[in-house]
Amino acid sequence: MFQRARLVLTASYAAALLLTIAGVGFASYILIRNDLNGEIDRSLRSATRELEALDVLETGTPGAAPTPTPDRAGRDDDDDEHDDEHDDDEHDSVRLAVLASDVFYLVIDADGTVVSNPRGVNLDGIDLASLVDAPGEEEIQQVTGENAEYRMAVKQLDDGSFLAVGRSLRLVEHQLETLRLVFVTGGIIGLGVSLASGFWLAGRTLGPIRRALETQRQFISDASHELRTPLAVAKANNALLLDEPEATVESKLDQAEAVAAELDHLTVLVGDLTTLARADEGRANLLIEPVDLGELTEEVVRDMGALADLLEVRLTCEAGPAPVDGDRARLRQLLMILVDNSLKYANAGGNVHVRCGTDGGRVELSVTDDGAGISAADQRRIFERFYRADSERTRSKGGTGLGLAIGKWIVEAHGGRIAVESQVGKGTTFRVRLPGG
């Protein structure tokens, strides 16, 4: 299930990123192409104005004989023709001098015949008649020849001929082809990166969910197991009671006490399960108020003195002022859990010492017993739900296996940390650090 979900998330992430890259690339390509064409059009219009300022057509169409002047009188026709060609070359040189090297101009008559082509542009394949078919104001047209595409500014002049100023699009097409190659290559690389990163991110996203579901399944399985035992015991003893309905209570006192004990155990277990369920859902709201944890510690130790005497364990306390901001009821519950746990697993005739004080602006609480201790391997799991470290920490001690898990939640809900220190055969110490109030 999770593998399929991971693949779906990866595909969705890759598709979203690919669409984004494609959209940005397409928009960028259109903008750059329009900007290049706009720059060409501006240069063509500027060149047209400069050529018009040189009076291109008033000099006569190239090749026509100029009006004779006195200093030319007496010359023969061959000399005149030579002078005309020389003058035309000079006019073309002047006109070309004002143009950029990649700009050319044509003079075309009304029939579409080229009158002047100083740069010798290859016009094969270009329909010149259609180029000059729209008289009037200056117009930018894009035409295609056999060898290249051109953009031309075409303007009709007063004598009916046309001035066409143009630029080849070969360089622009090369730039756009490079841009397309960059976008396609970048898109392919981006797709590969998005697939790899998407697969990794999907794993990171689904990891906590998967662990949470596995924890929930384990929690339900453990809870079912814990509920099954007291229910089975209560049911068996109840069956014994029902087998002899005429028997007196005194004769069946053991069975009645067993049922009562299992019901008490079930009550505690259901209460603990409810607390953890609310904590998991974020519904276990804390009532934050100023609390003196040192005073609360002395109170709890006093109240649990009777249990310590019953277990033949010496319970001592060393507490000073320790102000914190927290939920008084939950902090009391934390103290009860830690002290009760130490009393149960301390040796008969042993000691449990509780200490509470401040250290550098933080409140420190420790509960130490001299019992059997906890192995290093078990210490890593001691705060897990329903986990019992060894045979000593079994249901016979009366616990549900949820106390330390609840204690850990209480500490973390108050912004603190809890840790365990233990050596097998030398006892155990639980340490709690909370922010000072």
Side-chain angles (χ1 to χ4, degrees):
M1 178 183 73
F2 280 96
Q3 188 65 20
R4 183 173 179 275
R6 188 176 187 181
L7 293 175
V8 171
L9 284 175
T10 300
S12 301
Y13 175 78
L17 186 58
L18 185 61
L19 287 175
T20 302
I21 293 175
V24 171
F26 180 76
S28 300
Y29 178 83
I30 295 299
L31 290 173
I32 293 173
R33 186 189 66 181
N34 291 343
D35 186 64
L36 291 173
N37 287 337
E39 187 275 329
I40 290 175
D41 293 349
R42 287 189 294 273
S43 69
L44 294 179
R45 292 190 177 96
S46 175
T48 301
R49 289 192 295 270
E50 292 175 351
L51 289 175
E52 285 187 289
L54 291 176
D55 243 352
V56 174
L57 266 292
E58 288 185 7
T59 61
T61 54
T67 304
T69 58
D71 63 334
R72 296 171 65 110
R75 298 192 179 197
D76 58 24
D77 292 340
D78 290 339
D79 289 337
D80 289 342
E81 184 177 351
H82 177 74
D83 289 341
D84 288 341
E85 292 176 356
H86 180 69
D87 290 341
D88 290 340
D89 290 341
E90 288 182 350
H91 289 315
D92 286 339
S93 296
V94 172
R95 295 163 191 158
L96 293 176
V98 302
L99 301 179
S101 60
D102 59 344
V103 178
F104 64 89
Y105 79 87
L106 307 172
V107 178
I108 308 172
D109 63 18
D111 297 329
T113 303
V114 177
V115 177
S116 179
N117 183 7
R119 290 207 191 275
V121 177
N122 187 347
L123 302 175
D124 293 342
I126 298 177
D127 186 359
L128 297 175
S130 64
L131 187 65
V132 299
D133 194 35
E137 296 297 324
E138 177 184 312
E139 180 184 0
I140 303 293
Q141 300 184 43
Q142 185 162 322
V143 296
T144 303
E146 291 183 358
N147 300 310
E149 285 189 319
Y150 306 93
R151 285 187 74 81
M152 292 187 180
V154 182
K155 185 166 186 179
Q156 188 174 20
L157 301 175
D158 294 338
D159 64 353
S161 61
F162 293 85
L163 174 65
V165 183
R167 277 179 64 177
S168 171
L169 296 179
R170 185 171 297 163
L171 179 60
V172 172
E173 285 299 323
H174 176 71
Q175 292 173 330
L176 293 177
E177 180 66 27
T178 301
L179 188 62
R180 286 193 293 268
L181 180 62
V182 169
F183 282 152
V184 171
T185 304
I188 293 174
I189 295 174
L191 179 61
V193 171
S194 66
L195 286 172
S197 60
F199 190 75
W200 179 75
L201 285 173
R204 287 286 301 269
T205 302
L206 291 174
I209 299 174
R210 183 173 188 170
R211 288 191 293 271
L213 287 177
E214 289 175 350
T215 301
Q216 185 182 52
R217 291 194 190 100
Q218 185 64 40
F219 181 72
I220 293 173
S221 175
D222 292 339
S224 300
H225 176 75
E226 291 293 328
L227 289 169
R228 186 182 301 115
T229 301
L231 286 173
V233 172
K235 184 178 179 179
N237 283 278
N238 188 61
L240 291 176
L241 291 173
L242 294 175
D243 282 345
E244 300 180 24
E246 296 179 356
T248 63
V249 174
E250 292 180 350
S251 64
K252 296 293 183 179
L253 188 59
D254 290 343
Q255 287 77 22
E257 288 179 346
V259 171
E262 295 307 324
L263 290 177
D264 289 341
H265 181 74
L266 280 174
T267 301
V268 174
L269 179 58
V270 170
D272 290 345
L273 289 172
T274 302
T275 298
L276 289 174
R278 288 178 176 174
D280 290 342
E281 294 175 4
R283 293 191 296 112
N285 298 325
L286 301 179
L287 181 60
I288 304 299
E289 60 181 342
V291 177
D292 186 344
L293 191 62
E295 179 183 325
L296 187 62
T297 300
E298 292 178 336
E299 178 184 318
V300 170
V301 169
R302 183 192 65 229
D303 293 346
M304 299 199 69
L307 177 61
D309 293 340
L310 182 64
L311 296 173
E312 299 180 355
V313 176
R314 183 170 176 265
L315 178 60
T316 58
C317 177
E318 178 187 351
V324 297
D325 292 327
D327 187 311
R328 183 180 182 86
R330 290 300 183 187
L331 291 174
R332 179 182 174 83
Q333 183 180 14
L334 169 66
L335 285 162
M336 296 283 288
I337 289 171
L338 295 179
V339 174
D340 179 70
N341 185 80
S342 294
L343 288 175
K344 287 178 180 177
Y345 301 113
N347 294 322
N351 299 281
V352 171
H353 182 66
V354 183
R355 181 185 178 279
C356 183
T358 57
D359 181 17
R362 297 182 69 87
V363 171
E364 286 197 351
L365 169 70
S366 64
V367 181
T368 304
D369 68 66
D370 56 2
I374 308 170
S375 68
D378 290 328
Q379 288 179 41
R380 290 192 290 269
R381 301 185 59 191
I382 195 67
F383 296 106
E384 293 181 10
R385 300 172 184 184
F386 295 112
Y387 184 76
R388 295 184 177 89
D390 52 41
S391 59
E392 285 296 319
R393 299 175 183 268
T394 61
R395 188 171 173 273
S396 63
K397 296 289 185 179
T400 63
L402 295 174
L404 291 177
I406 294 174
K408 182 173 183 290
W409 165 71
I410 294 173
V411 172
E412 292 178 348
H414 284 80
R417 293 183 302 170
I418 185 171
V420 61
E421 300 171 3
S422 183
Q423 289 184 340
V424 176
K426 294 185 178 181
T428 302
T429 298
F430 287 93
R431 298 190 186 277
V432 175
R433 288 175 61 88
L434 297 172

